[in-house]
Structure formats: C-alpha cells, structure tokens
C-alpha cells in the first residue's frame, strides 16, 4: 500500500511539473511544458496587441494630425502649395485605412478574451472609427462655394476633424497604459506629439507674422478647403 501511494504521489508531482499555470495581463493560460501549446497562443495575442498599437498610433495618431496640419497651413495661407489637396487626402485616407485595420484587430482581441475588455478604450475606439468614417464620407460631399451650405459644411468638417484627432490621441494613451513596456511607448508617442505640436506652432506663428505684415484678414468663410477656383 505504501508503495502504491508513493507511486501516485510521484505521478502527481510529475504532472504538476509538466504543467505551468500562469496569468498574463490578457487572460489565464495553462501551458504544458512539453508541448508549449499555451505559449504559442499567448505569443500570438501579444503580437496582435503590438500590431494593434502600432497601426493605431501611425494611422489615427500621426497621419491624421499631419493631414490637419497640411489642410490648415499649405492650402493658401501662409504657404501656398498647389498639391496640398492630394497630399491631405493621402494622409487622411491612408491614416483611416491603417487605423481601421488596427481597430479591427482591437475588436478581435476584446471579443476573444473574457477578462480583457478595456471598456473605455473600446468605446473611444468605436467613436473614433465612426467619426472618422463620417469625416471621410463628407469629404466627397462638399457643396460649391456659391452654395449657402458651404460655410456650414466647412464648420462641420473642421470641427469633426479636430474632434477625431483629439479622441484618437486620448484613446492611444488609454491603450498604451495596458501595453507591456507602457512607459517606453508613452514617452515615444509624447515625443512624436511634441514634434507635431512644435511644427504646428511654428507654422501658426509664421501665419500671424505674415498676416500682420501684409494686413490680410483671414476670413473663415473665404478659406474653402476643397474648391480650387
């Protein structure tokens, strides 16, 4: 009897040694040390989270703000650049595509985990996607300059653009705090934002210097952003 009990205890100890239970920030994983099956799933989710973060940072958090800067400072005043509109649309559409792919990965990550929902991050992500979709669609529906609705379209389009950028930046920081190496990601994105903010501030100062020298009033309703005549 003692021999049988000793053998059973040894078997249980061996099975416990072969199986490792560990928690991650995403879910609870049971990993068999011989097969490594649990590890491969966990690594796959880790790579998906990294791709989700990178795509959203580049799409929503970098390209969209650059598109806003181009539309504000290169279309006519203070710097007139003939190709500003294709460049603006390139930034907006490519940012929207990358951001949408990243958003889709985020939805998959949330739906595949019972313990990793990130409610605030998810809601902000849905709002960003919805508002950005409206913004892209209304870009192709601008009325002509002589139309009375033109001024109101501009107010809506610019307000929506700034809203999308603000929500995107807030949501990126919401996502970063749940990433591994969060501090490194946070300061990297802060550095990128600081660079974009410095560029925008420099162009804004230059805009007002030129305005004061030329005594040119900058009327909002005269800066129709998609008409070329």
């Amino acid at each position: 009897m003692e021999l049988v009990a000793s053998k059973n205890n040894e078997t249980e100890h061996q099975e416990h040694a072969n199986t490792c239970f560990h928690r991650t920030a995403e879910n609870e994983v049971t990993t068999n040390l011989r097969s490594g099956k649990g590890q491969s799933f966990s690594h796959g989710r880790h790579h998906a989270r990294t791709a989700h973060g990178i795509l959203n940072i580049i799409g929503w958090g970098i390209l969209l703000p650059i598109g806003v800067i181009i539309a504000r400072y290169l279309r006519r005043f203070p710097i007139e650049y003939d190709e500003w509109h294709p460049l603006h649309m390139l930034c907006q559409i490519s940012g929207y595509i990358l951001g949408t792919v990243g958003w889709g990965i985020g939805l998959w990550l949330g739906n595949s985990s019972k313990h990793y929902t990130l409610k605030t991050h998810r809601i902000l992500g849905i709002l960003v996607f919805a508002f950005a979709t409206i913004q892209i669609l209304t870009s192709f529906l601008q009325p002509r300059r002589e139309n009375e609705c033109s001024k109101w379209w501009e107010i809506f389009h610019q307000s929506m653009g700034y809203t999308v950028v603000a929500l995107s930046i807030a949501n990126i920081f919401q996502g970063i705090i749940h990433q591994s190496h969060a501090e490194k990601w946070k300061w990297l994105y802060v550095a990128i934002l600081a660079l974009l903010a410095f560029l925008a501030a420099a162009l804004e100062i230059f805009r007002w210097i030129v305005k004061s020298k030329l005594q040119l009033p900058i009327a909002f309703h005269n800066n129709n952003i998609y008409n070329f005549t």
Side-chain angles (χ1 to χ4, degrees):
M1 293 294 293
E2 292 181 358
L3 181 60
V4 173
S6 175
K7 187 174 182 180
N8 288 338
N9 289 337
E10 183 179 351
T11 302
E12 290 177 0
H13 178 74
Q14 185 66 30
E15 289 177 353
H16 179 75
N18 288 338
T19 305
C20 175
F21 298 91
H22 62 93
R23 292 180 180 272
T24 67
E26 309 164 346
N27 53 2
E28 190 175 279
V29 180
T30 303
T31 304
N32 187 288
L33 299 180
R34 289 179 175 176
S35 66
K37 292 180 180 179
Q39 286 184 343
S40 63
F41 178 75
S42 179
H43 289 165
R45 287 183 58 84
H46 174 73
H47 292 319
R49 289 178 63 199
T50 302
H52 164 71
I54 291 174
L55 288 171
N56 283 336
I57 288 175
I58 296 174
W60 303 130
I62 297 178
L63 289 175
L64 290 192
I66 289 175
V68 170
I69 291 173
I70 290 170
R72 178 168 177 80
Y73 299 110
L74 299 186
R75 69 175 178 265
R76 190 175 305 167
F77 188 86
I79 301 171
E80 186 173 355
Y81 179 60
D82 293 339
E83 299 299 320
W84 76 268
H85 183 256
L87 191 58
H88 169 71
M89 292 302 296
L90 176 64
C91 288
Q92 301 302 86
I93 293 176
S94 58
Y96 177 79
I97 292 172
L98 291 178
T100 299
V101 174
W103 176 71
I105 295 173
L107 287 181
W108 174 81
L109 287 168
N111 292 333
S112 63
S113 174
K114 297 179 180 179
H115 310 289
Y116 195 72
T117 54
L118 303 181
K119 186 175 181 181
T120 302
H121 186 54
R122 187 184 185 95
I123 292 173
L124 286 175
I126 292 172
L127 288 176
V128 168
F129 172 75
F131 289 169
T133 301
I134 293 171
Q135 181 77 339
I136 292 293
L137 293 176
T138 56
S139 296
F140 302 100
L141 300 174
Q142 184 191 13
R144 295 182 178 275
R145 181 181 298 182
E146 58 272 13
N147 193 307
E148 294 181 359
C149 297
S150 177
K151 177 181 177 180
W152 300 109
W153 181 92
E154 286 188 42
I155 294 174
F156 171 82
H157 188 74
Q158 293 186 16
S159 300
M160 183 66 76
Y162 291 129
T163 300
V164 170
V165 169
L167 288 175
S168 298
I169 292 172
N171 201 32
I172 286 170
F173 281 113
Q174 270 288 322
I176 284 176
I177 62 177
H178 299 286
Q179 281 280 6
S180 56
H181 309 293
E183 282 295 309
K184 182 173 69 174
W185 282 102
K186 182 181 76 173
W187 288 112
L188 175 62
Y189 188 54
V190 165
I192 293 171
L193 285 182
L195 181 62
L196 292 175
F198 175 79
L199 175 62
L203 288 170
E204 188 67 28
I205 292 170
F206 179 63
R207 173 188 175 94
W208 287 102
I209 290 174
V210 172
K211 175 192 172 183
S212 62
K213 286 184 176 180
L214 298 179
Q215 295 297 313
L216 293 177
I218 305 177
F220 179 85
H221 61 276
N222 287 332
N223 286 338
N224 193 292
I225 67 175
Y226 290 129
N227 286 324
F228 300 96
T229 57

